[in-house]
Amino acid sequence: MKIFGYQLPSLTSLILWGILWEIAGQLKLTFFLPPLSAIFSTLMEIGTSRVFLKALTETGYAFFAGTFLAIVIGIPVGILMGKSRLIDELLLPWVNMFLSAPLTALVPVMMVLFGFGMKAIILTTTMFAIWIIVLNSRAGVMHINRSLIEMARSFGATPMDAFVKVYFWAALPEILSGVRIGFIRGVKGVIIGQLLISIVGFGALFELYSGQFMMKHFWAVLIVLFSISFTIAEFLSHLERKVAYYAAQR
Amino acid sequence: MMSHNTTNDNDQAVAVRDVYKSYGDVMALRDMSLDFPRGQLTSLLGPSGCGKTTLLKIIAGLLSADSGEITVNGHPITGPGPDRAFVFQDFALLPWATVLRNVAFGLELRGVAKSEREAIAEKYITDVGLRGFENKHPHQLSGGMRQRVGLARALSVDAQVLLMDEPFAAVDEQTRRKFQEDLLNLVKHENKTFIFVTHSIEEAVYVSDQVAILLPRPSRVSEIIRPEGFRHKDADSIRRDSEYLDIVDRIWASLRTYVE
Amino acid sequence: MMRYRSYLLTFLSACIVFGSWEIAGRIPVSYAFPTFLETIAAFWTLLKNGTMFVAYFETLKPLVVGVLISSFVGVGIGLAIGLSRMSDWLLSPIFVVMQTAPLAALIPLLVMIYGIGLTSKVAVVIIMAMPVIVLNTGGAVRNTPVSIVEMAQSFLGTRRDVIFKIILPAASPIIFAGLRLGVSAGFIGAILAELKITPTGVGDIITYSRSIADYPSMYAAIMSIILLAVIFLNVLERIENFLFKGAKHVYASD
Ligand SMILES: Nc1ncnc2c1ncn2[C@@H]1O[C@H](COP(=O)(O)OP(=O)(O)O)[C@@H](O)[C@H]1O
Ligand SMILES: [Mg+2]
């Protein structure tokens, strides 16, 4: 988009939407849409409150624990699948199935098996994030140039050496993109968990504020949450671009 | 066809006058002027990045020049026109369409009725040697066959000027030689003007009535060579002709300083 | 032998998984973990007494309506984004943010606005399904290979010709893939709506059987919805491969 020959950066239109929102809010078009400025001043108020910080840490803890599990399990499993045809053929149908399955349906299983607390939320997050990480790590390994592997073998690399020094690094571009999508799915998982399993963290705030019709508070938390997840996604895609230079020449 | 307002442009099918073109601060063409004689094949020869594609797309009307004028049959061009047809380096075939529809596509865009355009397409499919492949899709063809489809499509709209951008660059060497011989026949039998981009010296000398050597950015014509002595010879003996070899050597000598 | 290897291994791996499920259920690892056979039996009962069919009729209603709306609106917006820089600048960021955001958080708001009826559920399906459809369509249209567009222009194609004869056919494999991903996201939305807003359809079987500790029925209902989604998406993928076979590997100048 160009204005007077000047290239507007992408995402700048969000400013325009923000202004429209503010106007709609000032005009009191609907109760559900308070002015953006009022939302931000509410955000300043609650941003440092105990309730908010508690919700933030609870959600952050569940999210990072869940995605951490997904990464430390998902990457090795994916690499193994890429290396061994037998393991691949045994696991691939399940991975593909869970990748596209509506995992929300499995949340009640998490509840009855792991209780109505943090444990179930963390595992729900893991369950959302892990499949794409597995599949991308597998794809990364499968793209590795055969001669790279033979090189490692010919120089006498042990299987462990080969795993850590060749497979992981050669597959890194795909692994990173899997981790990025895994993180995005993990954020969705953690919120779904907090809404369905037990009402804690941000889930609790949404319930609380919507139940009491505190629209400014509701939007304030929503904006924080959306900004955080967008920032995480952007940060990871930035990392991904940094290694993309060698993705083309393996 | 006689044009009225020009005198010596009569035998020039295409004339390029003082053309400038930049992309941002990259100047691709500076003060480019060149004539393309009617009924002949003119090659644009030069190292890659020197602006050959740019010039060709400007003549095709796909790009507009910053300044300068391009005339076809004495008329300044304003955009793509029915008097010119393009053959693309990467073939530019529709992957979802059959060979028949691809060849007829130029006519389809001109609104020619289906039965009529398919009859014309059939003729050119036969001419380029693809009879029997009418209902195949591009991915079922080899690179050389795909380019024949591209060629048949350009021929079937019966434009007077054929613009070819490195048409044989993406086909293997054997096919390429066959194509070059076919091209010579085409120039001889179809009364068309060919503008042919290549970066192969041998290819340019082999197929051209006139070779325009372009030097790198901003591009200009350094020399025009007319390899005429061996034009009457048959396809095979040209490659052994001494004048042919001399010209190839001479061009290489003048280009080598630009190639590190 | 080699030809059947992959089927054989799939079968083997199913045996391993269902076998360990059965064993784990018999130990039992948890009071809430029925055996595989119990679950299959419960599934059969739900199927036979018709509960399943009634439930799916309920569940599929918001899903179908929501996916249809998102498809038409989403492809439309995606086309606008891909064809005009102005709408790209204006609209893309919204869908990019939606794509990365945990939209489930909007459910309490949707309930406030639309109540707990069908409208809310349809709305959940739409916000889940729409972003991926829009972004896929927009990207596909924007990335139409330049050379075939120039080809059409050089043969005097009008803007209309270029859109309908070049851009749309070239983009359709990716648009279709976007629709498939939209359906997948729609399933998530539909189930989420039933578990969160009001238990109806399959969500009702799940919630109710959990509350009376009828775990085999609960697992059977969950298994059925996952199977349904996976099979349906698989069929869509096959249709896609059939419709667009060969279309994918010919764009690059090979
Ligand atoms: N769309 C474009 N934007 C910016 N620079 C371009 C573009 N197309 C070509 N160029 C530049 O213009 C010069 C001439 O390009 P081109 O005409 O494609 O050369 P050739 O066909 O002789 O290889 C090159 O240096 C190229 O980098
Ligand atoms: Mg070029």
Side-chain angles (χ1 to χ4, degrees):
Chain A
M1 175 69 187
K2 276 186 179 169
I3 284 187
F4 306 127
Y6 177 72
Q7 180 74 39
L8 285 173
S10 59
L11 291 184
T12 43
S13 65
L14 288 180
I15 299 173
L16 182 68
W17 288 111
I19 294 171
L20 286 180
W21 182 341
E22 176 69 23
I23 294 173
Q26 295 290 356
L27 293 177
K28 296 198 175 13
L29 286 187
T30 148
F31 160 76
F32 301 106
L33 211 64
L36 201 54
S37 54
I39 293 173
F40 275 112
S41 58
T42 310
L43 181 59
M44 292 299 145
E45 272 167 43
I46 61 169
T48 48
S49 69
R50 282 260 310 285
V51 204
F52 181 80
L53 291 178
K54 180 159 167 284
L56 189 65
T57 36
E58 273 172 355
T59 307
Y61 171 67
F63 171 70
F64 283 110
T67 43
F68 176 76
L69 272 181
I71 289 172
V72 297
I73 301 171
I75 294 178
V77 170
I79 293 181
L80 273 180
M81 284 172 71
K83 275 179 55 158
S84 145
R85 180 162 171 209
L86 181 70
I87 298 181
D88 192 41
E89 281 174 316
L90 284 178
L91 294 186
L92 191 62
W94 299 101
V95 174
N96 271 331
M97 181 180 131
F98 283 113
L99 190 74
S100 57
L103 296 172
T104 333
L106 283 173
V107 175
V109 175
M110 294 287 169
M111 280 151 76
V112 295
L113 287 184
F114 302 105
F116 294 71
M118 204 50 136
K119 200 158 75 179
I121 296 179
I122 292 176
L123 290 173
T124 300
T125 311
T126 308
M127 182 178 72
F128 270 78
I130 195 167
W131 310 108
I132 187 70
I133 297 179
V134 171
L135 208 66
N136 267 39
S137 308
R138 167 184 181 271
V141 172
M142 291 190 144
H143 278 152
I144 299 179
N145 197 336
R146 281 226 61 82
S147 60
L148 209 58
I149 296 165
E150 279 155 12
M151 180 276 289
R153 289 251 296 287
S154 74
F155 284 112
T158 64
M160 193 61 197
D161 266 350
F163 203 84
V164 176
K165 293 188 179 157
V166 178
Y167 286 97
F168 177 78
W169 290 100
L172 194 59
E174 281 88 357
I175 292 182
L176 267 182
S177 107
V179 169
R180 177 175 57 86
I181 307 174
F183 267 55
I184 294 174
R185 292 185 167 208
V187 178
K188 299 181 176 177
V190 88
I191 297 298
I192 288 177
Q194 290 184 344
L195 286 171
L196 292 183
I197 297 173
S198 78
I199 310 295
V200 292
F202 278 130
L205 292 188
F206 289 129
E207 290 286 340
L208 174 73
Y209 295 146
S210 65
Q212 311 203 354
F213 298 101
M214 297 159 77
M215 292 316 301
K216 280 179 272 189
H217 291 69
F218 185 91
W219 281 112
V221 178
L222 200 70
I223 287 176
V224 171
L225 180 63
F226 280 21
S227 317
I228 292 177
S229 59
F230 186 72
T231 313
I232 293 177
E234 280 300 293
F235 173 71
L236 286 169
S237 66
H238 173 75
L239 268 190
E240 204 179 317
R241 280 193 294 273
K242 282 198 134 174
V243 296
Y245 70 92
Y246 73 72
Q249 35 180 310
R250 271 168 295 164
Chain B
M1 160 182 164
M2 299 291 284
S3 44
H4 34 276
N5 58 349
T6 46
T7 47
N8 72 337
D9 276 3
N10 250 344
D11 43 356
Q12 306 301 343
V14 179
V16 173
R17 291 276 167 272
D18 313 324
V19 165
Y20 284 76
K21 175 73 187 178
S22 337
Y23 297 102
D25 35 312
V26 178
M27 189 172 250
L29 300 175
R30 181 164 69 189
D31 202 12
M32 164 73 71
S33 294
L34 193 56
D35 286 327
F36 299 87
R38 188 181 312 285
Q40 300 194 357
L41 188 150
T42 302
S43 300
L44 303 174
L45 174 66
S48 63
C50 75
K52 306 181 295 290
T53 300
T54 306
L55 179 59
L56 207 63
K57 285 191 176 166
I58 290 177
I59 297 175
L62 290 170
L63 285 175
S64 55
D66 296 342
S67 67
E69 194 184 44
I70 291 99
T71 53
V72 175
N73 296 324
H75 302 288
I77 62 155
T78 51
D83 43 9
R84 285 150 287 150
F86 209 106
V87 179
F88 294 81
Q89 174 174 356
D90 61 358
F91 322 138
L93 303 181
L94 307 178
W96 55 85
T98 59
V99 166
L100 184 60
R101 175 151 185 240
N102 265 300
V103 172
F105 192 68
L107 296 166
E108 180 180 338
L109 291 178
R110 287 178 194 189
V112 177
K114 190 171 161 80
S115 58
E116 189 184 339
R117 66 178 188 246
E118 288 188 345
I120 298 174
E122 286 282 3
K123 170 182 179 308
Y124 286 100
I125 289 174
T126 312
D127 279 5
V128 299
L130 284 180
R131 167 167 243 151
F133 291 92
E134 289 86 349
N135 292 317
K136 294 273 187 280
H137 283 76
H139 67 98
Q140 297 165 304
L141 307 179
S142 70
M145 292 159 94
R146 288 186 214 171
Q147 192 53 296
R148 289 177 190 277
V149 177
L151 188 62
R153 177 178 59 196
L155 290 173
S156 63
V157 293
D158 198 25
Q160 293 150 29
V161 179
L162 239 57
L163 307 164
M164 309 173 100
D165 188 5
E166 304 197 27
F168 311 148
V171 301
D172 61 75
E173 183 59 29
Q174 288 85 326
T175 315
R176 194 179 169 117
R177 286 193 170 218
K178 179 76 174 71
F179 264 123
Q180 292 165 357
E181 291 173 10
D182 291 352
L183 185 59
L184 281 182
N185 282 326
L186 215 56
V187 178
K188 205 178 287 175
H189 297 121
E190 301 265 341
N191 185 26
K192 292 187 195 304
T193 306
F194 292 77
I195 304 180
F196 182 88
V197 167
T198 178
H199 57 235
S200 156
I201 301 175
E202 285 82 1
E203 181 168 275
V205 179
Y206 184 75
V207 299
S208 312
D209 298 299
Q210 164 178 303
V211 182
I213 299 171
L214 307 189
L215 293 184
R217 279 198 337 255
S219 185
R220 60 202 184 279
V221 181
S222 84
E223 206 178 339
I224 293 179
I225 294 173
R226 301 188 61 88
E228 281 166 325
F230 49 81
R231 270 290 147 252
H232 58 278
K233 295 199 172 178
D234 65 281
D236 272 341
S237 36
I238 295 183
R239 292 193 212 271
R240 276 179 270 118
D241 184 88
S242 66
E243 187 190 343
Y244 165 81
L245 295 169
D246 281 350
I247 296 179
V248 169
D249 274 350
R250 205 170 89 216
I251 297 179
W252 169 232
S254 68
L255 278 179
R256 72 186 308 163
T257 47
Y258 294 93
V259 186
E260 285 85 24
Chain C
M1 180 64 214
M2 283 312 276
R3 272 189 55 210
Y4 299 110
R5 183 188 146 102
S6 132
Y7 290 111
L8 209 72
L9 279 169
T10 308
F11 180 71
L12 183 68
S13 115
C15 287
I16 296 175
V17 168
F18 293 137
S20 7
W21 178 353
E22 180 69 24
I23 293 167
R26 282 184 192 222
I27 296 177
V29 290
S30 155
Y31 68 94
F33 197 77
T35 68
F36 175 64
L37 293 177
E38 281 168 2
T39 307
I40 295 295
F43 181 76
W44 188 239
T45 315
L46 288 173
L47 211 57
K48 228 172 35 189
N49 65 20
T51 321
M52 207 68 118
F53 296 105
V54 181
Y56 270 105
F57 184 71
E58 273 301 306
T59 302
L60 292 182
K61 237 183 334 194
L63 181 65
V64 170
V65 177
V67 164
L68 281 180
I69 295 178
S70 331
S71 301
F72 283 106
V73 179
V75 170
I77 298 179
L79 284 181
I81 284 180
L83 291 175
S84 121
R85 279 167 183 275
M86 175 73 185
S87 26
D88 183 22
W89 175 78
L90 204 60
L91 299 173
S92 281
I94 295 180
F95 292 97
V96 170
V97 170
M98 278 175 87
Q99 177 82 333
T100 57
L103 293 172
L106 283 170
I107 294 180
L109 182 72
L110 292 175
V111 173
M112 265 194 287
I113 301 178
Y114 299 116
I116 56 168
L118 184 66
T119 326
S120 272
K121 290 178 179 164
V122 172
V124 175
V125 173
I126 290 177
I127 58 170
M128 295 280 184
M130 190 118 109
V132 69
I133 297 177
V134 170
L135 293 178
N136 261 43
T137 307
V141 169
R142 201 178 309 119
N143 294 329
T144 310
V146 182
S147 86
I148 53 173
V149 172
E150 281 187 341
M151 183 276 291
Q153 286 166 347
S154 82
F155 286 107
L156 305 180
T158 58
R159 177 88 181 136
R160 222 186 119 88
D161 286 330
V162 171
I163 293 176
F164 285 98
K165 297 192 167 174
I166 305 287
I167 294 180
L168 275 182
S172 50
I174 300 180
I175 295 179
F176 196 93
L179 290 175
R180 178 166 53 80
L181 294 174
V183 172
S184 169
F187 263 102
I188 294 183
I191 297 166
L192 193 57
E194 290 196 332
L195 292 176
K196 182 69 201 169
I197 301 176
T198 40
T200 49
V202 184
D204 184 35
I205 304 185
I206 297 174
T207 315
Y208 176 71
S209 44
R210 194 188 82 209
S211 68
I212 60 165
D214 177 6
Y215 295 115
S217 299
M218 175 185 150
Y219 278 60
I222 291 173
M223 205 170 81
S224 74
I225 183 86
I226 288 184
L227 269 183
L228 179 78
V230 169
I231 291 172
F232 185 65
L233 291 170
N234 237 302
V235 169
L236 282 184
E237 199 170 344
R238 283 189 188 200
I239 296 178
E240 200 176 314
N241 290 341
F242 172 77
L243 284 179
F244 305 116
K245 63 169 178 269
K248 277 166 194 146
H249 52 265
V250 255
Y251 294 134
S253 41
D254 42 4

